[in-house]
């Protein structure tokens, strides 16, 4: 096929990104939409770029060097990328290529002024915008100047920021190519940006317009504060007119210049309201064509709008599909489960099979539709109370929606049956034997599942798992099991409320629940201290562990002095806890048994930070503190009027909470244990499918839903394209922070703490474990990177049970997500760590290494000088 160096915009198809780049493909599509005006022009294709790169073989070696650089090594990136740009700009454009560009210019008019714009193949994609990465040159005149600026656009593929962005995103420099768009200049009275969805709240029904005088560069480069308009249902609903002191105008001889705006004009709006509404309508037409919200660059000349760019808005959180056009309100499951990362399709599918509440899906996360419960007065109060207690930000967000006129239509009073998150438990006697029996039944059931699954493969395996999930659900939602931990939670709340009312004791239950029996998650953290005790006396083993890089290290240990004992201790720990991992509710996540190297830094931290015997000592110390608190509280109660009765009631509640609260962690442990049984069997099946050349790699099953996987085992056929699309989608979801509350308009409702007891400058959160602690903040987003010193305070996005081994080394905890009864809170109380959760943006607002004070009783964090 002969190379095609130039294509007119009107010839470009929307799917030709590989030929004309993202910008070129979008402009081609825009120029075909009825009623949309696009300045005339052409694209210099990626064939031309390939030809130029072939003229300089030396670039190849430099690209190799570039791909090996660390994205944070700015000096090296700057030097190497500048060298590549100089080389590209120095290549003479071959005669036939220059002639093709000149012919296209002659057709449009050689003496006209042009914009010369970069259009990379990895630009303006639905999953990555790359906005502002490459260069645009305005008001370029004459064929020679245009050829020179085409060269500069090619070179701009290697600007420092473009290279860094690709390195961070894991995109191969060789796979990205550069096309160039050459368009006739528009000399506008005003220009700016139109978002067809509100970029701040995500509301798809609100368009947002920014406008300034002159060329749009003034706005894009941050030279001026633009006028801002919001449009909803064909009218301007909000408007802020800025003082626009400067503008960028084109010069008659080429190029642009900054000019001062006449003082009388500075505060005049750049657009009339009627023009804003007309522009928003045009935006809706463009959005309908592309099928998703757009970020559009526009110019206004002689009262006519011309569109010079349209790209998808990549920062919006997707909306769950409801199948109707009614208003819906969705609450995040991840914020309740302390796992806000996206899940792969198989993980989502398993979670949906396991849980009885119907769940909507968006952005790789699950949501519960609470619209009907909010609409019915019968269920509304209970929902707001339960969610508000566990996560005040979610509760406040729902209250905000209820206060809006007409978003939720009230239902008659009967409402849908059943609570959403638990409910009032039936009474139960405080008997430790109940917990022992529940745990025994769960363990026996898992052992039977593990035994029976071994003989299954193919479709029979999927049938077995589907049936076994019914058994998992029976155990998970056993009424007695629910009674045990719900009555423990109710007892904790009772103690907090009553002891504050009677004695002025704030959050008394926090100390009273330290070191309770049967807490499988807190025992796990202490048991890893015991593993450190086995390893500490053997210097060869400790030295070896400092250099562990792969998963085969357990076999290597046996060759060292003391290594066999070390290996046995780690393996015994993994036997009991190896099915856990970060994000464990997603079955596709690698478990500790699969990646034991993840634990090595934690074990080494325990060896460094603790004396032998720390595990039992910690547990006993917590037990003594709880006992002392109990004696103190009961004695003070007896001294009150009607003291004997109060003391007796409190004693009953303390016994109940200490007997039952440890079990709170067990049902999830049982579920995750069973998930691991399923996962091992499914990976064995996936191995068979790889050998039969059905799958490329066994992890591909993670991108299929459960019914799709069953079809694959039945037909021995898989849709490779589907798996590729799902992998791309998953990557894009990783960049999106999930909302606590989302509406069917796409609006993210954040919620706020309505409190006046938080000092100025402090960060508000939810108090979940009492006490005040000062120390160095360690901001850790990946448990494997944790390097903690004794006395540090852990600051992170969320902690699920897998973070517990770090809790033994810290003195306090701050998280962005969490509630009173989520795992991090339960374990923090049991270990006696002051903790504040639900601190919005904590990992961004608290610098790593900063001294902070955590007020675990009052629920805020102070950043200290």
């Amino acid at each position: 096929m002969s190379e095609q160096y130039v294509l007119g915009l009107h010839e470009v198809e929307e799917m030709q990104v590989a030929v004309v780049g993202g910008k070129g493909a979008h402009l081609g599509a825009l120029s075909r939409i009825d009623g949309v005006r696009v300045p005339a022009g052409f694209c210099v294709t990626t064939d031309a770029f390939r030809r130029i790169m072939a003229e300089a073989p030396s670039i190849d070696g430099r690209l190799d060097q570039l791909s090996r650089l660390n994205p944070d090594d700015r000096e090296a990136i700057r030097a190497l990328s500048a060298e590549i740009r100089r080389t590209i700009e120095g290549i003479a454009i071959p005669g036939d290529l220059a002639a093709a560009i000149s012919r296209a210019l002659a057709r449009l008019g050689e003496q006209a002024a042009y914009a010369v714009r970069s259009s990379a193949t990895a630009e303006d994609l639905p999953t990555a915008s790359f906005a502002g990465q490459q260069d645009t040159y305005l008001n370029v005149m004459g064929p020679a100047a245009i050829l020179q600026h085409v060269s500069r656009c090619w070179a701009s593929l290697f600007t420092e920021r473009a290279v860094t962005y690709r390195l961070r995103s894991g995109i191969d420099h060789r796979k990205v190519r550069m096309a160039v768009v050459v368009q006739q200049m528009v000399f506008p009275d005003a220009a700016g940006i139109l978002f067809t969805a509100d970029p701040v709240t995500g509301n798809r029904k609100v368009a947002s317009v920014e406008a300034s005088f002159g060329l749009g560069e003034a706005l894009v480069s941050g030279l001026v504060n633009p006028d801002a308009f919001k449009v909803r249902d064909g009218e301007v609903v909000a408007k802020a007119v800025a003082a626009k002191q400067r503008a960028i105008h084109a010069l008659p001889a080429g190029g642009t210049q900054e000019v001062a705006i006449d003082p009388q004009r500075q505060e005049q709006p750049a657009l009339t309201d009627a023009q804003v509404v007309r522009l928003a309508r045009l935006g809706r037409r463009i959005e309908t064509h592309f099928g998703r919200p757009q970020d559009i660059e526009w110019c206004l000349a002689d009262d006519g709008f011309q569109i010079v760019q349209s790209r998808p808005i990549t920062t919006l959180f997707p909306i769950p599909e409801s199948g109707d056009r009614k208003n819906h309100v969705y609450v995040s499951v991840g914020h309740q489960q302390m796992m806000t990362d996206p899940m792969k399709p198989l993980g989502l599918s398993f979670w949906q099979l396991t849980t009885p509440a119907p769940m909507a899906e968006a952005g790789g996360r699950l949501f519960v539709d609470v619209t009907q419960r909010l609409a019915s007065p019968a269920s509304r109060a209970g929902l707001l109370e339960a969610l508000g207690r566990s996560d005040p930000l979610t509760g406040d967000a729902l209250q905000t929606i209820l206060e809006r006129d007409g978003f939720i239509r009230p239902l008659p009073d009967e409402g849908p049956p059943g609570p959403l998150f638990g409910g009032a438990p039936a009474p139960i006697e405080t008997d430790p034997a109940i917990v022992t029996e529940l745990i025994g039944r769960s363990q026996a059931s898992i052992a039977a599942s593990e035994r029976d699954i071994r003989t299954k493969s193919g479709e029979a395996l999927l049938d077995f798992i589907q049936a076994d999930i019914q058994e998992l659900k029976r155990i998970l939602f056993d009424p007695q099991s629910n009674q045990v931990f719900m009555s423990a939670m109710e007892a904790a709340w009772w103690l907090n409320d009553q002891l504050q009312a009677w004695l002025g004791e704030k959050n008394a239950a926090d100390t009273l629940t330290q070191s309770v029996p049967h807490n499988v998650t807190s025992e796990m953290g202490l048991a890893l201290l015991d593993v450190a005790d086995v390893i500490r006396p053997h210097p060869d083993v400790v030295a070896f562990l400092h250099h562990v890089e792969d998963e085969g290290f357990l076999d290597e240990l046996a060759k060292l002095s003391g290594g066999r004992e070390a290996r046995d201790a780690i393996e015994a720990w993994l036997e009991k806890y190896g099915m856990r991992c970060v994000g464990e509710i997603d079955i596709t996540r690698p478990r500790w048994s699969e990646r034991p190297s993840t634990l090595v830094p934690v074990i080494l931290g325990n060896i460094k930070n603790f004396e032998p015997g720390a595990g039992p000592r910690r547990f006993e110390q917590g037990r003594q503190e709880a006992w002392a608190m109990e004696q103190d509280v009961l004695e003070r109660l007896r001294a009150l009027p009607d003291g004997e009765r109060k003391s007796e009631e409190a004693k009953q509640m303390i016994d109940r909470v200490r007997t039952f609260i440890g079990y709170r962690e067990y049902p999830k442990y049982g579920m995750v244990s069973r998930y691991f049984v399923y996962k091992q069997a499914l990976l064995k099946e996936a191995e068979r499918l790889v050998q039969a050349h059905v799958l490329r790699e066994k992890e591909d099953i993670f991108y299929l839903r459960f019914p799709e996987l069953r079809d694959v085992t039945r037909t021995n056929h898989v849709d490779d394209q589907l798996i590729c699309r799902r992998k791309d989608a998953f990557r894009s979801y990783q960049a999106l922070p999930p909302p606590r509350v989302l509406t069917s308009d796409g609006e993210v409702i954040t919620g706020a703490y309505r409190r006046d007891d938080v000092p100025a400058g402090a960060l508000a959160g939810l108090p979940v474990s009492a006490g005040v602690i000062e120390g160095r903040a360690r901001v850790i987003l990946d448990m494997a990177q944790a390097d903690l010193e004794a006395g540090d305070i852990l600051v992170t996005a969320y902690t699920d049970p897998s973070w517990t081994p770090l809790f033994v080394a810290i003195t306090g905890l701050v998280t962005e997500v969490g509630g009173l009864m989520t795992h991090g809170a339960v374990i923090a109380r049991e270990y006696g760590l002051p903790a504040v959760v639900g601190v919005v943006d904590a990992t961004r607002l608290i610098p790593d290494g900063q001294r902070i004070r955590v007020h675990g009783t009052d629920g805020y964090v102070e950043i200290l000088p």
Side-chain angles (χ1 to χ4, degrees):
M1 179 181 135
S2 67
E3 312 248 285
Q4 190 166 18
Y5 295 133
V6 173
L7 275 176
L9 273 186
H10 56 283
E11 300 172 83
V12 170
E13 299 284 344
E14 196 173 321
M15 305 313 288
Q16 286 182 291
V17 174
V19 181
V20 295
K23 188 177 287 150
H26 278 137
L27 285 167
L30 283 166
S31 61
R32 289 190 161 76
I33 304 172
D34 272 354
V36 175
R37 289 170 60 200
V38 174
F42 60 89
C43 296
V44 181
T45 68
T46 52
D47 283 347
F49 175 74
R50 255 202 300 265
R51 170 95 180 266
I52 290 296
M53 294 294 271
E55 302 276 325
S58 65
I59 289 178
D60 221 38
R62 291 187 191 136
L63 290 184
D64 282 337
Q65 283 173 272
L66 208 52
S67 62
R68 286 196 292 271
L69 293 179
N70 182 321
D72 296 318
D73 189 349
R74 294 181 59 178
E75 278 309 304
I77 292 173
R78 185 175 299 140
L80 195 51
S81 59
E83 220 176 283
I84 296 172
R85 284 199 308 280
R86 275 196 302 276
T87 306
I88 294 172
E89 284 184 41
I91 297 168
I93 297 179
D96 56 335
L97 174 48
I101 296 171
S102 298
R103 278 197 300 278
L105 271 177
R107 282 196 289 277
L108 289 172
E110 279 186 8
Q111 297 321 305
Y114 290 88
V116 182
R117 314 169 70 195
S118 308
S119 177
T121 53
E123 180 181 335
D124 300 341
L125 305 175
T127 55
S129 89
F130 290 75
Q133 302 280 325
Q134 283 93 29
D135 293 347
T136 284
Y137 302 96
L138 299 177
N139 204 28
V140 182
M141 300 167 102
I146 283 169
L147 288 173
Q148 182 194 4
H149 285 87
V150 167
S151 279
R152 285 187 183 169
C153 283
W154 287 329
S156 78
L157 190 59
F158 298 97
T159 60
E160 185 190 338
R161 63 181 175 218
V163 166
T164 306
Y165 187 91
R166 290 197 294 271
L167 284 172
R168 284 197 199 290
S169 307
I171 292 166
D172 183 346
H173 302 297
R174 281 196 177 74
K175 293 218 170 112
V176 185
R177 301 206 167 85
M178 181 66 86
V180 182
V181 176
V182 180
Q183 273 178 296
Q184 283 181 342
M185 270 299 288
V186 180
F187 300 102
D189 307 313
I193 299 187
L194 157 67
F195 295 98
T196 64
D198 188 320
V200 178
T201 67
N203 194 326
R204 309 307 203 262
K205 291 189 174 167
V206 174
S208 170
V209 174
E210 295 183 350
S212 63
F213 294 124
L215 289 163
E217 283 307 281
L219 192 157
V220 176
S221 63
L223 179 67
V224 295
N225 283 333
D227 298 338
F229 305 85
K230 301 257 186 240
V231 182
R232 184 176 181 133
D233 298 330
E235 61 176 309
V236 174
V237 291
K239 160 160 78 170
V241 177
K244 301 168 287 296
Q245 292 166 344
R246 329 268 312 148
I248 293 177
H249 285 296
L251 290 167
T256 60
Q257 79 174 60
E258 225 179 275
V259 295
I261 293 173
D262 192 357
Q264 295 90 305
R265 261 191 91 208
Q266 285 179 8
E267 298 204 21
Q268 281 179 6
L271 295 177
T272 65
D273 282 11
Q275 286 171 328
V276 171
V277 170
R278 205 167 87 216
L279 178 61
R281 206 171 290 137
L282 192 59
R284 288 280 173 243
R285 189 176 292 176
I286 293 169
E287 177 185 74
T288 302
H289 175 86
F290 287 116
R292 56 190 304 156
Q294 297 289 301
D295 159 359
I296 296 166
E297 291 174 33
W298 55 269
C299 301
L300 177 73
D302 305 327
D303 197 35
F305 286 106
Q306 299 214 39
I307 304 299
V308 294
Q309 174 64 318
S310 184
R311 58 171 79 92
I313 308 176
T314 55
T315 53
L316 296 176
F317 199 85
I319 306 172
E321 283 178 22
S322 66
D324 61 34
R325 310 205 57 162
K326 294 178 182 159
N327 289 345
H328 291 266
V329 179
Y330 302 100
V331 170
S332 159
V333 172
H335 285 80
Q336 303 293 322
Q337 286 295 332
M338 295 296 272
M339 211 298 264
T340 53
D341 297 348
M343 290 163 75
K344 296 191 179 98
L346 192 65
L348 291 167
S349 190
F350 261 92
W351 190 243
Q352 285 167 306
L353 286 168
T354 307
T355 176
M359 293 195 178
E361 200 183 301
R365 278 79 167 193
L366 292 168
F367 294 86
V368 176
D369 185 340
V370 295
T371 319
Q372 280 204 291
R373 285 182 172 85
L374 285 176
S376 156
S379 55
R380 181 189 308 142
L383 176 73
L384 291 174
E385 213 260 331
L387 285 174
R389 199 193 265 266
S390 83
D391 180 8
L393 293 172
T394 297
D396 185 70
L398 293 176
Q399 199 59 58
T400 304
I401 293 169
L402 284 169
E403 285 161 14
R404 291 186 179 169
D405 277 350
F407 190 82
I408 290 182
R409 293 229 166 88
L411 281 173
D413 213 3
E414 64 279 6
L420 175 60
F421 297 103
I428 187 171
E429 65 176 310
T430 302
D431 178 1
I434 296 174
V435 173
T436 318
E437 193 187 329
L438 283 168
I439 290 174
R441 287 209 299 258
S442 173
Q443 285 176 335
S445 174
I446 292 165
S449 177
E450 204 167 359
R451 183 192 65 229
D452 297 343
I453 206 168
R454 285 184 193 139
T455 57
K456 308 286 186 285
S457 69
E459 209 182 343
L461 170 64
L462 278 286
D463 290 341
F464 173 84
I465 291 173
Q466 184 140 26
D468 198 71
I469 286 174
Q470 299 316 306
E471 171 69 0
L472 165 59
K473 283 165 81 164
R474 193 184 62 70
I475 291 170
L476 213 45
F477 304 107
D478 177 316
Q480 190 183 34
S481 171
N482 187 47
Q483 273 176 295
V484 167
F485 62 75
M486 281 307 295
S487 61
M489 282 151 71
E490 297 280 339
W493 291 331
W494 186 95
L495 286 165
N496 281 342
D497 293 345
Q498 292 306 124
L499 296 182
Q500 181 155 9
W502 290 339
L503 300 173
E505 267 299 337
K506 249 184 161 179
N507 299 356
D510 295 2
T511 305
L512 292 167
T513 51
Q514 283 182 209
S515 297
V516 295
H518 296 304
N519 188 323
V520 68
T521 306
S522 62
E523 287 164 5
M524 170 175 81
L526 299 174
L528 207 56
L529 286 172
D530 299 344
V531 173
D533 286 353
V534 173
I535 295 171
R536 194 180 286 106
H538 304 295
D540 290 359
V541 176
V542 175
F544 170 80
L545 288 177
H546 275 286
H547 302 288
V548 163
E549 291 198 344
D550 60 35
E551 303 310 335
F553 75 95
L554 287 172
D555 298 332
E556 297 293 305
L557 273 178
K559 301 170 188 167
L560 303 169
S561 163
R564 202 157 268 160
E565 295 92 307
R567 184 195 61 193
D568 292 350
I570 294 171
E571 284 181 344
W573 191 91
L574 287 171
E575 183 58 37
K576 188 157 185 195
Y577 305 109
M579 77 297 287
R580 311 210 88 159
C581 67
V582 175
E584 63 187 11
I585 66 171
D586 179 354
I587 196 171
T588 72
R589 288 286 192 105
R591 310 282 137 180
W592 285 332
S593 289
E594 296 169 303
R595 285 204 194 151
S597 64
T598 330
L599 295 165
V600 170
V602 189
I603 294 170
L604 289 171
N606 287 349
I607 290 168
K608 178 179 74 173
N609 292 325
F610 293 96
E611 295 293 312
R617 243 195 338 273
R618 279 291 291 270
F619 188 80
E620 187 49 33
Q621 183 190 339
R623 211 174 60 79
Q624 294 288 349
E625 284 172 18
W627 188 82
M629 171 80 154
E630 178 180 334
Q631 300 313 304
D632 173 58
V633 160
L634 296 177
E635 194 178 319
R636 283 158 61 202
L637 285 174
R638 283 189 208 103
L640 298 176
D642 197 16
E644 276 309 320
R645 178 188 63 81
K646 288 173 178 164
S647 153
E648 210 169 290
E649 279 185 41
K651 173 69 175 146
Q652 272 184 335
M653 290 298 180
I654 292 169
D655 287 350
R656 169 160 298 183
V657 85
R658 287 197 63 79
T659 305
F660 286 159
I661 198 76
Y663 178 75
R664 160 81 180 85
E665 292 291 301
Y666 200 87
K668 191 174 202 176
Y669 170 80
M671 181 192 84
V672 169
S673 301
R674 213 172 192 105
Y675 270 14
F676 192 42
V677 172
Y678 301 156
K679 183 183 185 184
Q680 287 171 301
L682 287 171
L683 283 173
K684 219 157 94 185
E685 181 62 21
E687 189 61 62
R688 181 187 75 75
L689 291 165
V690 170
Q691 282 174 356
H693 305 295
V694 177
L695 292 177
R696 290 185 183 168
E697 48 188 23
K698 56 184 186 179
E699 283 77 17
D700 283 353
I701 65 167
F702 297 160
Y703 295 93
L704 297 169
R705 294 173 191 287
F706 191 86
E708 293 167 342
L709 182 53
R710 172 195 255 122
D711 286 345
V712 171
T713 58
R714 187 171 52 78
T715 61
N716 273 342
H717 172 75
V718 75
D719 179 350
D720 282 332
Q721 288 310 107
L722 175 73
I723 288 175
C724 288
R725 284 199 302 277
R726 295 243 174 106
K727 286 180 178 177
D728 286 345
F730 180 74
R731 269 193 292 275
S732 72
Y733 298 153
Q734 286 175 303
L736 297 176
R740 280 178 163 80
V741 176
L742 181 70
T743 73
S744 46
D745 288 348
E747 185 178 3
V748 172
I749 317 279
T750 47
Y753 292 105
R754 316 262 170 210
R755 290 165 50 187
D756 45 20
D757 61 338
V758 176
L763 307 175
L766 179 67
V768 294
S769 185
V772 177
I773 194 74
E774 233 177 78
R776 177 179 77 151
R778 288 315 314 267
V779 179
I780 295 169
L781 295 174
D782 175 359
M783 187 179 143
Q785 309 299 314
D787 179 16
L788 292 162
E789 300 284 336
D792 282 347
I793 295 169
L794 173 62
V795 179
T796 188
Y798 67 79
T799 62
D800 62 4
S802 69
W803 287 71
T804 305
L806 296 184
F807 281 28
V808 296
I810 58 175
T811 55
L813 173 70
V814 179
T815 67
E816 296 179 341
V817 174
L820 265 176
M821 281 298 164
T822 45
H823 301 272
V826 172
I827 306 303
R829 289 193 287 273
E830 188 158 325
Y831 283 176
L833 303 173
V836 180
V837 302
V839 179
V840 177
D841 289 338
T843 57
R844 200 170 50 77
L845 297 172
I846 300 172
D848 185 39
Q850 171 76 43
R851 280 198 75 72
I852 60 174
R853 189 181 295 129
V854 177
H855 293 260
T857 312
D858 295 312
Y860 61 88
V861 179
E862 284 181 284
I863 297 181
L864 302 174

